Amino acid sequence: MKKIISSIIIAATLFSAITGCSTAPGVKVDTASVTASGNLSVYADWLTKRLTADGRLTEDTEIILGNGDKAAEYGISVDTLSDEGFIIRRTADSATLIFAKTDDGVDRGVRYYANYCADEGDLNVVKGEGPRIGKITIAGADLSEYVIVNTDPDDLPMVHAAEELREHLGSACGIYPEIVTEATGNAYAITLVRDADGSEYGDENFLIKSHDSGITITGGKYRGCMYGVYTFLEEYIGVRFYYKFGATSDRGDYSTTYIYEAEKIVIGASDIDYYGEGSIISRCGYSSSPYFSPALKYNGPMYDKPGNDNMYSHIYGTYGVAGNVTHGLHTIYFPGDDFAEWDPNYTAGKNPCFTNEDLFDELYRRVIADLDHRTNDLGELPMKERNMCCIDIAQLDTSSFCMCDDCMAVYKEEGATSGAVIRHANKMVEALSDTPYSDVYVGCFAYFGTTRPPKMTKPDDKVIVNYCFYITDDGKTMICANHSLGDPECETNKKFTDLYEQWCEISENTYIWYYPSVAYYFANTTQDVFKMYGDIQYLANCGTYGIMALQDDLDTSRIYFMKWYLLQRLMWDADMSYEEYTGHIKEFLFFNYGDGYELVFDYLELMDRVADGDGDCWAGIFSPPMYKLDFSKLKAEKDRILALHEGARRLARNTYEEEMIDALFSFSRYHIAIATHTDMWLNGSEEDRAWYKENLDTFVRENQGAILYLDWGGAWKYTPAPGSFDYDVNPIEWMHCNPAMSWDSDYNY
Ligand SMILES: [Zn+2]
Ligand SMILES: [Zn+2]
């Protein structure tokens, strides 16, 4: 008897419809128990299809899916399972039973069965029973004997560190240690200590040390202890903080954790002596994307507190130094570009005069008013005096600068336009020095017109220079995304790194703007995954203070989440080996795509090879896909790409992962259509043409809304795949690539 029985009536209806069971012999639908536990028929349907495809569905197959009530009928309790847990059971005289507390658990159960269980013989699989970690012992004492001592409860990141430690220990093993401010009696403790003046641990460094009465984590003045806690949880408890891809989740749901299972974790009194220090001094890889991990909550501009709307650098809600700037001169202080009132030479579309005294005085007045305003706004908050860490007086988004006699004289003396900008920033530091805001840093750009450093004037210690790895001063060359920064093969990037290194010689405070996830042609979204390793190593070796990474969250493949995660891994530890780096990639892929992560990794590597072409330079942001991808090579890999996709989706642990795999691979069908258009559609056999059409139709059908490119025409516009189209036109033309960049439009790959 073929039986896949779901436990609810609507399930029965749908199942019947899909399998045509009114005539199919042996399919029996159980309508005896109607519960409100959700629609399980989709999982029954999935399993039916999968077993049929694999030739495993026989007359004898009898599988029963269900939630709690159904399980109870068979004397099985799912009450103690986690939401992801499931039970698979089969004895000599029973059907195969797959039960779980949640629908997701059933989903995981059927997929586990399909991938790992035999069709015959006894089965007893239990997943998700009890906490992920059975027992944690530190210095000979069970975690239940421990308290968490927060020795500086007035410091918000310390409070956060203690709460996070308690929360994640609890999630891992079920024991939530009490948080206290003083150790009492002989209690064992994990003690959090803050180096308040940063004399030993700077802003963010930390030490984790185990001893006879527990563990002490000592951290630098701003976020050191918090990082120490996260590192302790990662290194010694097996917790991972990562991002979950997701098409529809609200902000915040993206950051999540994974806990490796362990029977017990034993930490001896002398086992841990771990000193942590970031490779990039400020470890918050600040991003223009609003998504952030728990490890970033108190880390930089995303620092979430009342009065801070959390976005962008015009909000000075930063706890500690974060010096990224974004054209603040006009976005913050002169939003109407009303420079002309003070600067008679000003005309729209260029930068105002950086040597004009009246304009400087007005800017200073507005800066002070703004700092006063923000101080007052922050009201009751403790540590408010630290919240104004960096002001943004950075230039406008143009390479056109003032040509007045005074400015020209400075440019000549300094051998660079940046001379006027740096003198201007230094002057602001000087002006603030006898105000309550003398600790405030002053941020400016080295960008588009000012990338060459001045010959004479050095930036003040309180000036943060934001160097943009983006475009040359003459506007002719974009940063290359096919080579890492510092790659000797790359003449393009050398133009940028030569100048950046000169900045690093005269300033300890260099931030950079970095564009690893921005592309106007989203169809190639895997770029940068591997080359980021070399980029961050280079930047760390230069002594880079901080990184502002620009991200585009319109990429429907969602792979930018991983780039963002990897960026932070590297900022933390740029010295890791390449094997460690690819290990981080694989781990992240495992969390998001399931057991087929190696296949996904192979796809990313394959795309990297296909992207490399002949080692030409191309711009990650603007270059059309014909520069970024070698479609001839891609054509040769067509079957491999499709096989990797199919293989990975078979091993997805639940529907969500399967959808994310489809999202990642979605553009591959588009790429294949571009690569095979001439061979298979224009010149192909009937069979080829049918294959071509089905492949392209699948892409269009399954990727409604997938963004292909950012339109150039006038206003910026994100454009998806077309609803209808002419099959005789190579679909690469859907992207309307910028005709200013010439290419071979034969498209015969
Ligand atoms: Zn001027
Ligand atoms: Zn290059």
Side-chain angles (χ1 to χ4, degrees), residues 206-380:
F206 58 85
L207 179 71
I208 311 170
K209 205 159 167 45
S210 58
H211 43 75
D212 287 343
S213 52
I215 288 172
T216 300
I217 302 174
T218 310
K221 66 176 170 179
Y222 290 131
R223 295 168 288 266
C225 232
M226 184 188 77
Y227 286 134
V229 161
Y230 287 124
T231 298
F232 171 72
L233 290 165
E234 281 206 320
E235 292 285 324
Y236 302 102
I237 306 298
V239 182
R240 294 291 180 274
F241 303 91
Y242 73 103
Y243 309 106
K244 188 176 177 183
F245 302 139
T248 56
S249 302
D250 288 335
R251 170 181 168 170
D253 292 348
Y254 291 94
S255 41
T256 187
T257 57
Y258 184 90
I259 302 165
Y260 283 102
E261 280 185 293
E263 242 174 71
K264 60 179 177 183
I265 288 176
V266 178
I267 298 170
S270 56
D271 282 357
I272 305 179
D273 188 356
Y274 184 112
Y275 181 74
E277 183 177 18
S279 296
I280 301 295
I281 298 163
S282 175
R283 272 169 287 184
C284 170
Y286 175 60
S287 163
S288 52
S289 164
Y291 314 118
F292 52 94
S293 81
L296 290 177
K297 191 172 178 191
Y298 280 77
N299 182 21
M302 304 296 189
Y303 175 31
D304 189 5
K305 63 177 179 296
N308 176 359
D309 71 5
N310 250 342
M311 282 299 291
Y312 251 73
S313 54
H314 59 281
I315 304 301
Y316 299 129
T318 307
Y319 188 89
V321 178
N324 48 282
V325 296
T326 313
H327 311 295
L329 194 56
H330 89 136
T331 57
I332 301 169
Y333 298 111
F334 292 88
D337 286 352
D338 55 339
F339 301 108
E341 214 176 302
W342 297 271
D343 171 12
N345 296 318
Y346 181 74
T347 52
K350 67 176 186 122
N351 277 286
C353 181
F354 280 92
T355 60
N356 180 304
E357 295 283 342
D358 293 341
L359 184 59
F360 179 86
D361 291 346
E362 178 59 16
L363 173 64
Y364 173 74
R365 194 190 66 73
R366 293 185 183 194
V367 164
I368 292 291
D370 188 67
L371 289 170
D372 285 347
H373 166 66
R374 288 177 192 283
T375 307
N376 298 335
D377 257 7
L378 291 169
E380 316 270 312

Side-chain angles (χ1 to χ4, degrees), residues 522-565:
F522 295 100
N524 174 17
T525 55
T526 48
Q527 64 183 39
D528 304 312
V529 169
F530 296 96
K531 84 171 194 72
M532 199 183 286
Y533 176 73
D535 286 347
I536 309 304
Q537 276 197 338
Y538 168 81
L539 293 168
N541 288 338
C542 289
T544 303
Y545 189 92
I547 295 176
M548 162 138 166
L550 274 85
Q551 303 235 85
D552 213 318
D553 52 11
L554 288 158
D555 168 8
T556 36
S557 84
R558 304 265 147 190
I559 200 68
Y560 62 89
F561 276 95
M562 186 177 78
K563 294 186 214 172
W564 175 226
Y565 174 83

Side-chain angles (χ1 to χ4, degrees), residues 480-484 489-493 615-618:
C480 165
N482 200 27
H483 299 106
S484 291
E489 301 281 297
C490 182
E491 285 300 317
T492 306
N493 287 346
D616 293 343
C617 294
W618 39 259

Side-chain angles (χ1 to χ4, degrees), residues 170-203:
S171 308
C173 74
I175 292 168
Y176 292 80
E178 189 189 350
I179 299 172
V180 298
T181 54
E182 272 174 45
T184 49
N186 296 323
Y188 288 96
I190 302 176
T191 306
L192 308 183
V193 179
R194 176 167 168 255
D195 173 21
D197 63 4
S199 55
E200 220 174 323
Y201 294 96
D203 290 354

Side-chain angles (χ1 to χ4, degrees), residues 433-577:
S433 65
D434 53 4
T435 72
Y437 306 112
S438 57
D439 280 346
V440 170
Y441 284 76
V442 173
C444 65
F445 268 137
Y447 162 68
F448 210 15
T450 55
T451 60
R452 182 174 299 284
K455 274 191 212 153
M456 297 169 59
T457 305
K458 288 186 176 161
D460 187 279
D461 288 348
K462 292 221 92 73
V463 169
I464 295 182
V465 177
N466 281 240
Y467 182 89
C468 302
F469 284 95
Y470 181 62
I471 193 167
T472 50
D473 282 357
D474 61 11
K476 287 181 181 161
T477 309
M478 303 289 300
I479 192 79
C480 165
N482 200 27
H483 299 106
S484 291
L485 300 174
D487 182 339
E489 301 281 297
C490 182
E491 285 300 317
T492 306
N493 287 346
K494 195 166 181 310
K495 290 179 184 168
F496 294 86
T497 52
D498 280 354
L499 292 170
Y500 181 59
E501 286 161 28
Q502 290 174 36
W503 281 106
C504 290
E505 275 172 31
I506 60 169
S507 172
E508 300 275 304
N509 299 324
T510 51
Y511 249 75
I512 66 126
W513 273 45
Y514 182 55
Y515 298 75
S517 294
V518 182
Y520 289 170
Y521 299 98
F522 295 100
N524 174 17
T525 55
T526 48
Q527 64 183 39
D528 304 312
V529 169
F530 296 96
K531 84 171 194 72
M532 199 183 286
Y533 176 73
D535 286 347
I536 309 304
Q537 276 197 338
Y538 168 81
L539 293 168
N541 288 338
C542 289
T544 303
Y545 189 92
I547 295 176
M548 162 138 166
L550 274 85
Q551 303 235 85
D552 213 318
D553 52 11
L554 288 158
D555 168 8
T556 36
S557 84
R558 304 265 147 190
I559 200 68
Y560 62 89
F561 276 95
M562 186 177 78
K563 294 186 214 172
W564 175 226
Y565 174 83
L566 293 170
L567 169 68
Q568 288 165 99
R569 280 274 165 210
L570 288 165
M571 288 173 70
W572 197 283
D573 178 18
D575 297 330
M576 70 174 78
S577 69

Side-chain angles (χ1 to χ4, degrees), residues 18 34 79-80 111 139 141 143 150 172 174 250 272 279 344 393 415 444 470 501 522 526 566 608 610 616 650 700:
I18 291 163
V34 178
D79 294 350
T80 55
R111 286 163 189 270
L143 187 65
N150 176 7
D250 288 335
I272 305 179
S279 296
I393 57 166
C444 65
Y470 181 62
E501 286 161 28
F522 295 100
T526 48
L566 293 170
D608 195 54
V610 168
D616 293 343
R650 278 177 69 90
V700 173

